[in-house]
Amino acid sequence: MGNHETLQTALIFLVAIVIAVPLSARLRLGSVLGYLLAGVVIGPAGFGWVKDTEGVSTISEFGVVLMLFVIGLELSPRRLWVMRRYVFGTGLMQVVTCSLVLGACGYMFAGLSAAAAGIVGGSLALSSTAFGLQILAERKEAGSAYGRQAFAILLFQDLAAIPLIAAVPLLADSSALHAQHPASVLKTVAVIVAVVVGGRYLLRPVFRFVARSRQVEVSTATALLVVMGTAWLMEVGGVSSTLGAFLAGMLLADSEYRHELESNIEPFKGLLLGLFFISVGMTMNLPLLLHSPLLILGLVLALLVIKGALLWPLGHWISGLSRTDALRLSALLACGGEFAFVVLRQATEQGLLQTEISDALTLAITVSMALTPLLVLTVAMILNRAERASEASAREFDTIDSGPPKVIIAGFGRMGQIVGRVLRAQRIPFVALESSVEQVDFSRRFGSVDLYFGDPGRVEVLRAAQADKAEVFVLTTDDPEANLRIATLVRREFPHLKIVARARNRQHVFRLLDMGIAQPVRETFYSSLKMTRQTLELLGLSPAYAADRVERFRRHDEQLLQTQAQLVDDEGKLVQSAQEALVDLQVLFEADAEPRAEHEREKMTVQRES
């Protein structure tokens, strides 16, 4: 391939990535699907802009090696020990049961050999780590009960992928497996021991030596050298290079250089892993989907149903999740995963699987991954609707049997809990209302006896809480629309109540001011002021001077807020007022700077003379 063709191919790849991946992410389908679609478009099945699929595959497989190194960095022995029950309990059971059932289906219905069925079952048991973690992050459910369990299962699946990849060449050459020479076994063991011992005692001094040079490019080269060197050593010893990269990562997981390594490797890993997914998309047999749509859809349906049906009892009975959380877990992890592409491709190259079967399975996995965001969204909508209906019928709102409160707190999240703790310490009676059953049950386990389930936006709930006898209404709900709706209701039904309201942003403040709430509390404003004060002090300003600067800004901004509330319907004037306010603030600071500086100089002179 000439220099012109190489540049053209690189340009095609970059254009495809820049267009397909952001578009896929914007549609909430995940970046992996974007890479796969980009590969389909530019590959032989699409426009045929890139024809050298073999060369691309060879280069891109190093992305998998780098991914396993980064996974190893995340898995320190200490972290694995803390999560051992979930990782090696539920995770192990999920991989084993799904591998056995899916492998048995392949053996009985597809006529696969025992070795091929084992590899297919193991590869299909793996779920998409990239999709799963991304969906949890987007939905802000990574810290939920089912989110933590999903992470543990994905963690074990990543671990299980290592021996599965290493087993493919051994299963493909069963005669070599049965008649392995003792010398080769000793060689393999010696290489693994060398990697472990060398990684334990040599890598840290090497990284310490390199770190003293303070050259970022040298640190990056060292990180790549460690990954490639360990992978090469493993291949020399007859072991998978991916296992070597994983071991190198684990050995450095507790190192003080772990985060630097991860940041140096990340760009290469991201690009090469994206290239790997593109190469998978390029080699996908797209005509097969057009010629045999029922076969592919049948495989997708079978994969989702079988894995989902096995995941639900594991989540509910073994992990102790609720029925709804177990269903969410099943929807999230029922799809195929990225490592299946690696395993199936390797099995095909080793002659363990026929190309037709591998193509069909690769297509089915891709479609299942594409359906995962939609499946998770659908399940969430159904469960949320069912939960709201059951709450409305089975639990209207709690019976509030406390005495007349002085304060009512609407919403008992992060801000409401802090207000409640201070009031309780001051022995000021209050009633907290929260519309989330989970939040109520969770907080009551920590002794929140003044908390009741009920929607503070319903007048009958407020009457049951004796809002007519309270003095202050603290509005801390995190939904601006619900916040405004509750404030309107309280203003209308209980006009005597003084309202302290949480505000998300300036626009939210303007609407609350318009309702007559005098001083809405911006949720990040005061913490930002404190961070600003600390920053000024770290830059050398005295604590008193930094506090004065911040206090002047606070007063100036609150005055500006009152002014801008009158201009909220005129965007042009609103922008103009913000620009004029910035100039005014600069003039105010500059006018005060010279007297302050003179005062500081006089103070230092007096100190020296004394």
Side-chain angles (χ1 to χ4, degrees):
M1 184 183 289
N3 189 47
H4 173 72
E5 292 181 34
T6 304
L7 288 174
Q8 180 179 321
T9 302
L11 184 63
I12 290 170
F13 274 116
L14 291 173
V15 170
I17 290 172
V18 168
I19 294 174
V21 176
L23 185 61
S24 178
R26 189 176 183 83
L27 296 173
R28 296 189 176 183
L29 298 176
S31 58
V32 175
L33 184 62
Y35 285 119
L36 292 172
L37 292 175
V40 170
V41 171
I42 67 177
F47 291 103
W49 292 334
V50 178
K51 297 181 174 61
D52 184 19
T53 57
E54 292 295 327
V56 173
S57 299
T58 303
I59 298 172
S60 67
E61 283 174 3
F62 189 56
V64 180
V65 172
L66 290 177
M67 180 168 73
L68 287 165
F69 176 72
V70 173
I71 289 172
L73 281 176
E74 295 291 336
L75 295 179
S76 65
R78 189 183 300 111
R79 189 180 187 190
L80 277 177
W81 179 252
V82 171
M83 299 180 64
R84 64 191 182 279
R85 177 169 167 247
Y86 297 107
V87 175
F88 298 104
T90 314
L92 174 63
M93 291 185 68
Q94 183 273 327
V95 171
V96 170
T97 53
C98 289
S99 298
L100 289 174
V101 173
L102 292 167
C105 291
Y107 182 78
M108 290 187 294
F109 302 115
L112 300 176
S113 65
I119 291 298
V120 168
S123 63
L124 294 180
L126 307 178
S127 306
S128 174
T129 301
F131 268 50
L133 296 183
Q134 182 179 356
I135 290 170
L136 287 174
E138 287 175 354
R139 298 182 61 82
K140 298 180 181 179
E141 294 176 341
S144 64
Y146 97 91
R148 293 193 298 271
Q149 184 60 73
F151 176 75
I153 292 175
L154 289 169
L155 204 57
F156 185 83
Q157 288 179 356
D158 291 338
L159 291 172
I162 314 299
L164 186 63
I165 293 170
V168 172
L170 297 177
L171 290 173
D173 189 4
S174 57
S175 59
L177 183 64
H178 286 100
Q180 208 165 15
H181 197 274
S184 66
V185 175
L186 288 174
K187 180 182 176 184
T188 301
V189 173
V191 168
I192 293 175
V193 170
V195 168
V196 172
V197 174
R200 188 84 177 167
Y201 298 104
L202 296 179
L203 288 182
R204 289 191 183 188
V206 169
F207 280 110
R208 196 176 298 117
F209 172 76
V210 171
R212 286 173 185 159
S213 70
R214 299 183 182 277
Q215 299 293 321
V216 177
E217 62 273 15
V218 178
S219 298
T220 303
T222 308
L224 290 172
L225 174 64
V226 169
V227 179
M228 295 177 71
T230 313
W232 175 77
L233 269 177
M234 283 296 194
E235 282 202 339
V236 168
V239 188
S240 168
S241 60
T242 52
L243 178 59
F246 178 75
L247 274 177
M250 277 201 73
L251 292 169
L252 290 168
D254 285 328
S255 166
E256 61 270 28
Y257 305 103
R258 171 192 149 196
H259 295 295
E260 183 182 359
L261 278 169
E262 197 167 355
S263 63
N264 289 335
I265 290 290
E266 190 64 35
F268 296 96
K269 185 209 79 171
L271 279 174
L272 288 171
L273 197 58
L275 189 62
F276 172 77
F277 291 132
I278 288 178
S279 70
V280 171
M282 289 172 61
T283 55
M284 279 172 54
N285 190 352
L286 204 59
L288 181 63
L289 180 60
L290 302 176
H291 295 152
S292 306
L294 293 179
L295 170 66
I296 302 302
L297 293 177
L299 287 172
V300 171
L301 186 62
L303 176 64
L304 294 176
V305 169
I306 292 173
K307 283 185 72 174
L310 293 172
L311 277 162
W312 189 88
L314 283 175
H316 182 50
W317 294 331
I318 305 300
S319 300
L321 297 176
S322 65
R323 290 185 175 87
T324 55
D325 276 353
L327 189 57
R328 288 188 174 97
L329 182 74
S330 299
L332 185 70
L333 301 183
C335 66
E338 305 90 18
F339 278 117
F341 298 140
V342 184
V343 176
L344 293 175
R345 174 181 288 184
Q346 193 173 3
T348 306
E349 291 171 353
Q350 296 284 341
L352 198 61
L353 273 181
Q354 295 177 1
T355 305
E356 295 79 9
I357 296 175
S358 177
D359 287 350
L361 291 174
T362 301
L363 263 179
I365 292 167
T366 306
V367 174
S368 73
M369 290 169 69
L371 291 175
T372 298
L374 300 175
L375 184 60
V376 170
L377 184 63
T378 304
V379 168
M381 288 175 62
I382 293 172
L383 291 178
N384 289 339
R385 190 176 294 118
E387 285 175 4
R388 284 195 297 268
S390 64
E391 286 173 8
S393 59
R395 186 172 177 178
E396 190 65 22
F397 58 85
D398 287 346
T399 301
I400 303 173
D401 52 7
S402 63
K406 286 191 174 182
V407 180
I408 292 178
I409 303 174
F412 210 64
R414 294 169 298 165
M415 297 183 75
Q417 288 172 22
I418 292 173
V419 175
R421 285 165 61 189
V422 175
L423 293 177
R424 191 178 295 120
Q426 289 288 109
R427 289 182 165 79
I428 297 173
F430 71 91
V431 167
L433 301 172
E434 173 59 55
S435 58
S436 168
V437 174
E438 290 81 6
Q439 182 66 34
V440 171
D441 294 340
F442 178 78
S443 297
R444 280 182 175 174
R445 288 204 298 270
F446 290 86
S448 298
V449 294
D450 305 305
L451 174 63
Y452 299 91
F453 168 74
D455 182 2
R458 295 171 58 185
V459 67
E460 60 268 30
V461 175
L462 295 178
R463 288 194 179 119
Q466 304 182 67
D468 56 324
K469 298 177 183 177
E471 298 177 22
V472 180
F473 189 87
V474 181
L475 186 48
T476 67
T477 51
D478 59 358
D479 182 354
E481 293 303 322
N483 189 298
L484 293 165
R485 177 172 53 84
I486 296 169
T488 303
L489 175 67
V490 172
R491 268 275 175 259
R492 185 180 69 243
E493 299 292 335
F494 308 98
H496 72 283
L497 282 175
K498 306 179 192 73
I499 299 178
V500 178
R502 168 187 183 177
R504 172 70 59 84
N505 48 38
R506 297 180 85 87
Q507 287 72 29
H508 192 188
V509 170
F510 296 150
R511 296 176 70 180
L512 289 169
L513 287 171
D514 191 49
M515 294 172 60
I517 297 173
Q519 293 181 317
V521 180
R522 286 174 277 174
E523 57 187 31
T524 59
F525 184 61
Y526 293 97
S527 54
S528 301
L529 291 179
K530 186 170 183 178
M531 291 178 69
T532 305
R533 178 177 172 178
Q534 291 179 1
T535 303
L536 293 175
E537 290 178 11
L538 291 172
L539 288 172
L541 275 68
S542 68
Y545 190 56
D548 178 74
R549 300 288 86 180
V550 170
E551 177 59 21
R552 283 172 178 266
F553 173 81
R554 184 192 66 78
R555 292 199 300 265
H556 179 271
D557 190 71
E558 288 184 349
Q559 290 172 3
L560 174 64
L561 201 64
Q562 297 291 337
T563 302
Q564 289 182 334
Q566 312 301 320
L567 310 172
V568 67
D569 296 322
D570 191 331
E571 185 177 349
K573 289 184 178 179
L574 203 61
V575 172
Q576 183 182 354
S577 72
Q579 294 171 345
E580 292 173 351
L582 179 59
V583 174
D584 292 343
L585 185 64
Q586 290 172 340
V587 171
L588 179 66
F589 279 179
E590 288 168 1
D592 188 57
E594 186 59 34
R596 285 274 177 178
E598 183 64 29
H599 174 72
E600 291 290 336
R601 283 194 295 270
E602 291 177 0
K603 184 178 178 182
M604 291 176 66
T605 303
V606 171
Q607 288 175 347
R608 280 198 301 269
E609 290 176 352
S610 62

